Amino acid sequence: DLKEYRAGRIEWEALSSAAILHGAPGVGKTLFAAALARTCQVPLISTSLAKIFSTTSGNLDGVLKGLNAVFDQARTAAPSVLFIDEMDSLPDRATLEGRGRDWWSPVCNGFLKLLDEGRSQVIVLAATNLIDRIDEAILRPGRIDRHFRIELPSETELCSILRYHLDNALSEQEVAILARLAQGMTGAGVALAVKSARSEARRQDRT
């Protein structure tokens, strides 16, 4: 669809341009965002609510301005991918009470307004480990309406992940054995295991 848009054969509104990735920590949601941007040959703008808090005053006005600034940056670079990590940091309004609801409601409503009006030529890709904590209004049709669960890697996928991190340090047979042993691990877990193995090998002065 992006190719069709670039060729002028469809309008941006014809694209499905928002999705959320969910799954266990370490399965590769952030890596997927970077890969998507590379595949689409567009800039990647990455943020999270924690990043917005850390780069603004942290008060209500500052957070709202921070949200707007991120969408402005994505629109300036458009077409682009805007990756919003830890989407569950924005609370579900149905769970809020009292002063918490008074403070967060403008932030949630401001974000919904940006999803409705602020993403022309911007692909919004969110990520969360806890999709059940996301406000239903964010996930409804017309907003972030495509939901993809990233599962733990299969044995074949673990072989590919191991080859990537090991380069040519081990044979194909050894990699296949490791992949069988690594079933149930995340990609991040495999990366840590390889790094630890290299460190242990250095300490023992061997390959």
Side-chain angles (χ1 to χ4, degrees):
D1 282 347
L2 190 57
K3 289 178 182 177
E4 292 293 293
Y5 168 75
R6 283 172 163 155
R9 289 188 284 269
I10 61 173
E11 297 295 322
W12 183 262
E13 289 70 26
L15 276 70
S16 179
S17 59
I20 188 165
L21 309 172
H22 61 103
V27 292
K29 298 182 287 294
T30 304
L31 285 174
F32 180 91
L36 178 68
R38 285 196 304 272
T39 302
C40 295
Q41 298 180 326
V42 298
L44 174 67
I45 291 88
S46 296
T47 193
S48 66
L49 201 62
K51 184 176 180 180
I52 290 172
F53 268 96
S54 69
T55 55
T56 66
S57 63
N59 59 34
L60 181 58
D61 179 62
V63 172
L64 288 170
K65 286 180 178 177
L67 276 172
N68 278 279
V70 168
F71 274 82
D72 284 342
Q73 183 184 356
R75 284 192 296 266
T76 299
S80 63
V81 171
L82 173 57
F83 178 60
I84 306 170
D85 202 3
E86 300 165 356
M87 192 70 240
D88 51 278
S89 295
L90 197 64
D92 181 352
R93 290 168 299 172
T95 67
L96 297 175
E97 297 178 355
R99 293 178 63 184
R101 183 179 182 86
D102 292 342
W103 197 94
W104 279 108
S105 289
V107 178
C108 295
N109 291 335
F111 180 69
L112 294 176
K113 188 172 187 294
L114 288 167
L115 287 179
D116 291 339
E117 303 173 5
R119 57 185 173 100
S120 176
Q121 298 188 74
V122 175
I123 298 166
V124 174
L125 187 63
T128 180
N129 301 330
L130 305 163
I131 195 167
D132 57 323
R133 295 189 184 181
I134 308 294
D135 194 307
E136 289 184 6
I138 293 173
L139 303 181
R140 74 153 172 79
R143 289 180 178 149
I144 303 181
D145 48 17
R146 304 194 72 184
H147 310 156
F148 299 101
R149 179 175 177 82
I150 299 184
E151 303 286 354
L152 291 171
S154 66
E155 187 175 326
T156 300
E157 290 163 343
L158 285 166
C159 279
S160 297
I161 294 169
L162 282 160
R163 286 192 199 99
Y164 174 81
H165 291 292
L166 286 165
D167 300 319
N168 296 314
L170 297 178
S171 69
E172 290 294 304
Q173 183 179 5
E174 289 169 322
V175 168
I177 291 169
L178 285 178
R180 285 198 294 275
L181 293 172
Q183 288 185 78
M185 293 179 70
T186 64
V190 170
L192 176 60
V194 172
K195 183 182 291 186
S196 299
R198 289 188 191 279
S199 177
E200 181 66 20
R202 285 193 298 273
R203 284 196 293 272
Q204 296 184 17
D205 194 26
R206 58 180 174 80
T207 58

